[in-house]
Amino acid sequence: MKVVTILLSGMILTLFISCGHEHGPNTHTHGSSEKENTHHAENRGDGHRHEQNKEMDLPFSYLSMDGEFHLNPGDSISQNDPRNPGRIKLVTSQDAGTITKMTFYDHDDINKKLAECGYEFIGSRPDPHYYPDRSKTSIWDIFKKVKAFSGDCENYEYVISRSPHGDPVHMHLRYGNDVNELLAMSNDEEDGDFNPWWATYCDINRTTSCD
């Protein structure tokens, strides 16, 4: 906020002028109540909204698929679901013609590499459970495998991601051989097999919950 003082016909006017952007910390608000370090089906994944400094955002969300992440500490649904890699490593560049490299590590041994695969971003799709009534930002980025570097990449033909977002930064990921089936999992009935599938990942250095 700027303060401007003007002398006009013997009168002093003081004007308060907005600088045109918001100040203060990023906000991270959830659309439903949450229990500490435990997710209920309704606030897994994307029942919440993230507001960030737009100047810090990348122009396309899939370009944020960069860095190392591990399963959300203390989150029993993410930690105990055997489908979830224990650690993922992502390499994405804004350079034209490059692919996104994803490395998947064993659920129980984050040093055991299962596969290293290359992907092309092929578009985004809304989440069938949350969008648009519960959240207008619940959008999945879709990646198609175009190269197998090592390991069993056949299990990771497609990856859908709620690419890294929020403060603290976190992401959600599913993988499989059919994009429509992966998206439809958001509408699965809650059961004892960790469905609906909402794996949450935090920055590799984070030791407390990120969601």
Side-chain angles (χ1 to χ4, degrees):
M1 185 76 72
K2 294 182 180 178
V3 179
V4 179
T5 303
I6 302 174
L7 180 62
L8 180 64
S9 300
M11 295 185 296
I12 297 177
L13 299 178
T14 301
L15 304 177
F16 297 88
I17 302 175
S18 171
C19 60
H21 61 271
E22 296 180 358
H23 294 267
N26 296 339
T27 59
H28 183 163
T29 57
H30 289 256
S32 57
S33 63
E34 61 178 355
K35 296 180 181 178
E36 185 176 0
N37 293 333
T38 302
H39 284 153
H40 183 272
E42 278 303 314
N43 56 311
R44 300 175 194 179
D46 206 23
H48 51 269
R49 181 181 74 253
H50 302 277
E51 297 174 357
Q52 302 185 73
N53 184 341
K54 289 182 173 53
E55 294 177 355
M56 299 299 292
D57 289 343
L58 288 163
F60 301 99
S61 60
Y62 69 88
L63 293 176
S64 65
M65 292 284 281
D66 200 63
E68 285 194 69
F69 298 83
H70 63 167
L71 288 168
N72 189 13
D75 171 6
S76 60
I77 289 177
S78 292
Q79 289 283 342
N80 295 334
D81 187 341
R83 293 173 293 188
N84 299 335
R87 167 182 159 216
I88 51 177
K89 183 177 180 180
L90 310 169
V91 179
T92 294
S93 169
Q94 295 191 53
D95 294 340
T98 59
I99 61 177
T100 296
K101 182 183 290 186
M102 302 187 194
T103 309
F104 307 93
Y105 293 83
D106 186 74
H107 177 80
D108 297 315
D109 183 354
I110 63 171
N111 294 312
K112 181 181 178 181
K113 183 165 65 173
L114 299 178
E116 187 173 64
C117 320
Y119 292 87
E120 180 182 354
F121 170 74
I122 60 172
S124 298
R125 297 270 296 275
D127 184 86
H129 181 77
Y130 284 108
Y131 184 92
D133 294 334
R134 293 173 174 84
S135 171
K136 293 194 74 174
T137 62
S138 186
I139 306 295
W140 292 90
D141 293 326
I142 313 297
F143 297 85
K144 177 178 174 57
K145 178 177 64 69
V146 293
K147 187 170 184 178
F149 291 101
S150 64
D152 188 7
C153 288
E154 291 185 5
N155 290 329
Y156 308 94
E157 185 69 24
Y158 290 95
V159 170
I160 68 171
S161 169
R162 288 285 289 108
S163 295
H165 60 282
D167 182 15
V169 66
H170 63 282
M171 63 174 293
H172 313 285
L173 176 145
R174 297 174 188 160
Y175 60 86
N177 295 313
D178 188 298
V179 171
N180 290 327
E181 288 181 2
L182 292 172
L183 291 168
M185 289 177 177
S186 293
N187 284 323
D188 286 349
E189 294 292 330
E190 183 178 2
D191 61 24
D193 292 324
F194 308 104
N195 294 308
W197 187 8
W198 277 108
T200 300
Y201 288 85
C202 306
D203 180 85
I204 194 69
N205 294 314
R206 189 168 183 85
T207 58
T208 58
S209 179
C210 60
D211 190 17

